[in-house]
Coordinates of all heavy atoms in Angstrom, one line a residue:
A184 N 12.7 -5.3 -17.2 CA 12.8 -4.2 -16.3 C 11.9 -4.4 -15.1 O 12.2 -4.2 -13.9 CB 12.4 -2.9 -16.9
L185 N 10.7 -5.0 -15.4 CA 9.8 -5.3 -14.3 C 10.3 -6.5 -13.4 O 10.1 -6.5 -12.2 CB 8.4 -5.6 -14.8 CG 7.7 -4.4 -15.5 CD1 6.4 -4.8 -16.2 CD2 7.5 -3.2 -14.5
A186 N 10.9 -7.5 -14.0 CA 11.5 -8.6 -13.3 C 12.6 -8.1 -12.4 O 12.7 -8.6 -11.2 CB 12.1 -9.6 -14.3
D187 N 13.4 -7.1 -12.8 CA 14.4 -6.5 -12.0 C 13.9 -5.7 -10.8 O 14.5 -5.7 -9.8 CB 15.3 -5.6 -12.8 CG 16.1 -6.3 -13.9 OD1 16.2 -7.6 -13.8 OD2 16.6 -5.7 -14.8
L188 N 12.7 -5.1 -11.0 CA 12.1 -4.4 -9.9 C 11.3 -5.3 -8.9 O 11.0 -4.8 -7.7 CB 11.0 -3.4 -10.5 CG 11.6 -2.0 -10.9 CD1 10.5 -1.2 -11.5 CD2 12.2 -1.3 -9.7
A189 N 10.8 -6.5 -9.3 CA 10.0 -7.3 -8.5 C 10.5 -7.5 -7.1 O 9.7 -7.4 -6.2 CB 9.8 -8.7 -9.2
P190 N 11.8 -7.7 -6.8 CA 12.2 -8.0 -5.5 C 11.9 -6.8 -4.5 O 11.8 -6.9 -3.3 CB 13.6 -8.2 -5.5 CG 13.9 -8.7 -7.0 CD 12.8 -8.0 -7.8
S191 N 11.8 -5.6 -5.1 CA 11.6 -4.4 -4.2 C 10.2 -4.0 -4.1 O 9.8 -3.0 -3.4 CB 12.4 -3.2 -4.8 OG 11.9 -2.8 -6.0
E192 N 9.2 -4.8 -4.7 CA 7.8 -4.4 -4.7 C 7.2 -4.2 -3.3 O 6.5 -3.2 -3.0 CB 7.0 -5.3 -5.5 CG 5.6 -5.0 -5.6 CD 5.0 -4.9 -7.0 OE1 5.7 -4.8 -8.0 OE2 3.8 -4.8 -7.1
L193 N 7.5 -5.1 -2.4 CA 6.9 -5.0 -1.1 C 7.4 -3.9 -0.3 O 6.7 -3.1 0.2 CB 7.2 -6.3 -0.3 CG 6.7 -6.4 1.2 CD1 5.2 -6.3 1.2 CD2 7.2 -7.7 1.8
A194 N 8.8 -3.5 -0.5 CA 9.3 -2.4 0.2 C 8.7 -1.1 -0.3 O 8.4 -0.1 0.4 CB 10.8 -2.4 0.1
R195 N 8.6 -1.0 -1.7 CA 8.0 0.2 -2.3 C 6.6 0.4 -2.0 O 6.1 1.5 -1.6 CB 8.1 0.0 -3.9 CG 9.5 0.1 -4.3 CD 9.7 0.2 -5.9 NE 8.6 -0.2 -6.7 CZ 8.4 -1.3 -7.2 NH1 9.4 -2.2 -7.1 NH2 7.4 -1.6 -8.0
A196 N 5.8 -0.7 -1.8 CA 4.4 -0.6 -1.4 C 4.3 -0.2 0.0 O 3.4 0.6 0.3 CB 3.7 -2.0 -1.5
R197 N 5.1 -0.6 0.9 CA 5.1 -0.2 2.3 C 5.5 1.3 2.4 O 4.8 2.0 3.1 CB 6.2 -0.9 3.1 CG 5.7 -2.3 3.6 CD 6.6 -2.9 4.5 NE 6.2 -4.2 4.9 CZ 6.9 -5.3 4.8 NH1 8.2 -5.2 4.4 NH2 6.5 -6.4 5.1
E198 N 6.4 1.8 1.6 CA 6.8 3.2 1.6 C 5.6 4.0 1.1 O 5.3 5.1 1.6 CB 8.0 3.4 0.7 CG 8.6 4.8 0.9 CD 9.9 4.9 0.2 OE1 10.8 3.9 0.2 OE2 10.1 5.9 -0.5
V199 N 4.9 3.6 0.0 CA 3.8 4.4 -0.5 C 2.7 4.4 0.5 O 2.1 5.4 0.7 CB 3.4 3.7 -1.9 CG1 2.0 4.3 -2.3 CG2 4.3 3.9 -3.0
W200 N 2.4 3.2 1.1 CA 1.4 3.2 2.1 C 1.7 4.1 3.3 O 0.9 4.9 3.8 CB 1.2 1.8 2.6 CG 0.2 1.7 3.7 CD1 -1.2 1.6 3.7 CD2 0.5 1.7 5.2 NE1 -1.6 1.6 5.0 CE2 -0.7 1.7 5.9 CE3 1.7 1.8 5.9 CZ2 -0.7 1.7 7.2 CZ3 1.7 1.8 7.2 CH2 0.5 1.8 7.9
Q201 N 3.0 4.0 3.8 CA 3.4 4.9 4.9 C 3.3 6.4 4.6 O 2.8 7.1 5.5 CB 4.9 4.6 5.2 CG 5.4 5.2 6.5 CD 4.8 4.7 7.8 OE1 4.5 3.5 7.9 NE2 4.5 5.6 8.7
K202 N 3.6 6.8 3.4 CA 3.5 8.2 3.1 C 2.0 8.6 3.1 O 1.7 9.7 3.5 CB 4.1 8.5 1.6 CG 5.5 8.7 1.7 CD 6.0 9.0 0.3 CE 7.5 9.2 0.2 NZ 7.9 9.4 -1.2
K203 N 1.2 7.8 2.6 CA -0.3 8.2 2.5 C -1.0 8.0 3.8 O -1.7 9.0 4.2 CB -0.9 7.2 1.4 CG -2.4 7.3 1.3 CD -2.8 8.6 0.5 CE -4.3 8.6 0.2 NZ -4.7 9.8 -0.5
Y204 N -0.8 6.9 4.5 CA -1.6 6.7 5.7 C -0.8 6.8 7.0 O -1.3 7.4 8.0 CB -2.3 5.4 5.7 CG -3.3 5.3 4.5 CD1 -3.1 4.6 3.3 CD2 -4.5 6.1 4.6 CE1 -4.0 4.6 2.3 CE2 -5.4 6.1 3.6 CZ -5.2 5.3 2.4 OH -6.1 5.3 1.4
G205 N 0.3 6.1 7.1 CA 1.1 6.1 8.4 C 0.5 5.4 9.4 O 1.3 4.7 10.1
N206 N -0.7 5.5 9.7 CA -1.3 4.7 10.8 C -2.1 3.5 10.3 O -2.8 3.6 9.3 CB -2.3 5.6 11.6 CG -1.6 6.8 12.2 OD1 -0.5 6.6 12.8 ND2 -2.1 8.0 12.1
P207 N -2.0 2.4 11.1 CA -2.7 1.2 10.7 C -4.2 1.4 10.6 O -4.8 2.3 11.4 CB -2.5 0.2 11.8 CG -1.2 0.8 12.4 CD -1.3 2.2 12.3
P208 N -4.9 0.7 9.7 CA -6.4 0.8 9.6 C -7.1 0.3 10.8 O -6.6 -0.7 11.4 CB -6.7 -0.1 8.4 CG -5.6 -1.0 8.2 CD -4.4 -0.3 8.8
Q209 N -8.1 1.0 11.3 CA -8.7 0.6 12.6 C -10.0 -0.2 12.3 O -10.4 -1.0 13.2 CB -9.2 1.9 13.3 CG -7.9 2.8 13.7 CD -6.9 2.1 14.5 OE1 -7.2 1.4 15.5 NE2 -5.6 2.2 14.2
T210 N -10.7 0.0 11.1 CA -11.9 -0.7 10.9 C -11.7 -1.5 9.6 O -10.8 -1.2 8.7 CB -13.0 0.3 10.7 OG1 -12.7 1.1 9.5 CG2 -13.2 1.2 11.9
P211 N -12.6 -2.5 9.3 CA -12.6 -3.2 8.0 C -12.7 -2.3 6.8 O -12.2 -2.4 5.8 CB -13.8 -4.2 8.1 CG -14.0 -4.3 9.6 CD -13.6 -3.0 10.3
E212 N -13.5 -1.2 7.0 CA -13.7 -0.2 5.9 C -12.4 0.5 5.6 O -12.1 0.7 4.5 CB -14.7 0.8 6.3 CG -16.2 0.3 6.4 CD -16.5 -0.4 7.7 OE1 -15.7 -0.3 8.7 OE2 -17.5 -1.1 7.7
E213 N -11.7 0.9 6.7 CA -10.4 1.5 6.4 C -9.3 0.6 5.8 O -8.6 1.0 4.9 CB -9.8 2.0 7.8 CG -10.4 3.3 8.3 CD -9.7 3.8 9.5 OE1 -8.6 3.3 9.9 OE2 -10.1 4.8 10.1
R214 N -9.4 -0.7 6.2 CA -8.5 -1.7 5.6 C -8.8 -1.8 4.1 O -7.9 -1.9 3.2 CB -8.7 -3.2 6.3 CG -8.1 -3.2 7.6 CD -8.3 -4.6 8.2 NE -7.4 -5.5 7.4 CZ -7.1 -6.7 7.9 NH1 -7.4 -7.1 9.1 NH2 -6.3 -7.4 7.2
A215 N -10.1 -1.8 3.7 CA -10.5 -1.9 2.3 C -10.0 -0.6 1.7 O -9.5 -0.8 0.4 CB -11.9 -2.1 2.2
K216 N -10.1 0.5 2.2 CA -9.7 1.8 1.6 C -8.2 1.7 1.3 O -7.8 2.1 0.3 CB -10.1 2.9 2.5 CG -9.7 4.3 2.0 CD -10.2 5.4 2.9 CE -9.8 6.7 2.4 NZ -10.2 7.8 3.3
H217 N -7.4 1.3 2.3 CA -6.0 1.2 2.1 C -5.6 0.2 1.1 O -4.7 0.5 0.2 CB -5.3 0.8 3.5 CG -5.4 1.8 4.6 ND1 -4.5 1.8 5.6 CD2 -6.3 2.8 4.8 CE1 -4.8 2.9 6.4 NE2 -5.9 3.4 5.9
A218 N -6.3 -0.9 1.0 CA -6.0 -1.9 0.0 C -6.4 -1.4 -1.4 O -5.6 -1.5 -2.3 CB -6.8 -3.2 0.2
R219 N -7.5 -0.7 -1.5 CA -7.9 -0.2 -2.9 C -6.9 0.9 -3.3 O -6.5 0.9 -4.5 CB -9.3 0.5 -2.8 CG -10.4 -0.5 -2.8 CD -11.7 0.2 -3.0 NE -12.0 1.3 -2.1 CZ -12.6 1.2 -0.9 NH1 -13.0 0.0 -0.5 NH2 -12.8 2.2 -0.1
F220 N -6.4 1.7 -2.4 CA -5.3 2.7 -2.7 C -4.1 2.0 -3.3 O -3.6 2.4 -4.4 CB -5.0 3.5 -1.5 CG -3.8 4.3 -1.7 CD1 -3.8 5.5 -2.5 CD2 -2.5 4.0 -1.1 CE1 -2.7 6.3 -2.6 CE2 -1.4 4.8 -1.3 CZ -1.5 5.9 -2.1
L221 N -3.6 1.0 -2.7 CA -2.5 0.3 -3.2 C -2.7 -0.4 -4.5 O -1.8 -0.5 -5.3 CB -1.8 -0.6 -2.1 CG -1.2 0.1 -0.9 CD1 -0.9 -1.0 0.2 CD2 0.0 0.9 -1.2
I222 N -3.8 -1.0 -4.6 CA -4.1 -1.8 -5.9 C -4.2 -0.8 -6.9 O -3.8 -1.1 -8.1 CB -5.4 -2.6 -5.7 CG1 -5.2 -3.7 -4.8 CG2 -6.0 -3.0 -7.1 CD1 -6.4 -4.6 -4.4
A223 N -4.8 0.4 -6.8 CA -4.9 1.4 -7.8 C -3.5 1.9 -8.2 O -3.3 2.3 -9.4 CB -5.7 2.6 -7.3
R224 N -2.5 1.8 -7.3 CA -1.2 2.1 -7.7 C -0.4 1.1 -8.4 O 0.7 1.2 -8.8 CB -0.4 2.6 -6.4 CG -0.8 3.8 -5.8 CD -0.4 5.0 -6.6 NE -0.7 6.3 -6.0 CZ 0.1 7.0 -5.4 NH1 1.4 6.6 -5.2 NH2 -0.3 8.2 -4.9
G225 N -1.1 -0.1 -8.6 CA -0.5 -1.2 -9.4 C 0.2 -2.2 -8.6 O 1.0 -3.0 -9.2
F226 N 0.1 -2.3 -7.3 CA 0.7 -3.3 -6.5 C -0.1 -4.6 -6.6 O -1.4 -4.5 -6.6 CB 1.0 -2.8 -5.1 CG 2.0 -1.7 -5.0 CD1 1.5 -0.4 -4.8 CD2 3.3 -1.9 -5.2 CE1 2.5 0.6 -4.7 CE2 4.2 -0.9 -5.1 CZ 3.8 0.4 -4.8
S227 N 0.6 -5.7 -6.5 CA -0.2 -7.0 -6.6 C -1.0 -7.3 -5.4 O -0.7 -6.7 -4.2 CB 0.8 -8.2 -6.8 OG 1.5 -8.4 -5.6
G228 N -2.0 -8.1 -5.5 CA -2.9 -8.4 -4.4 C -2.1 -9.0 -3.2 O -2.4 -8.7 -2.1

C-alpha cells in the first residue's frame, strides 16, 4: 500500500504545506519550522 502511494508523496506534501502555510518561508528559522512540520507529518527528508 505504501509503495502504491509513493509516487504521490511529493504532491501530497505540497498540498499539506500549502494548506498550512501558503507563503514561502522568509527566514532560515521559518524554513526550519516548515520542514519540521512536514517531517512530523511523516514525509521523507
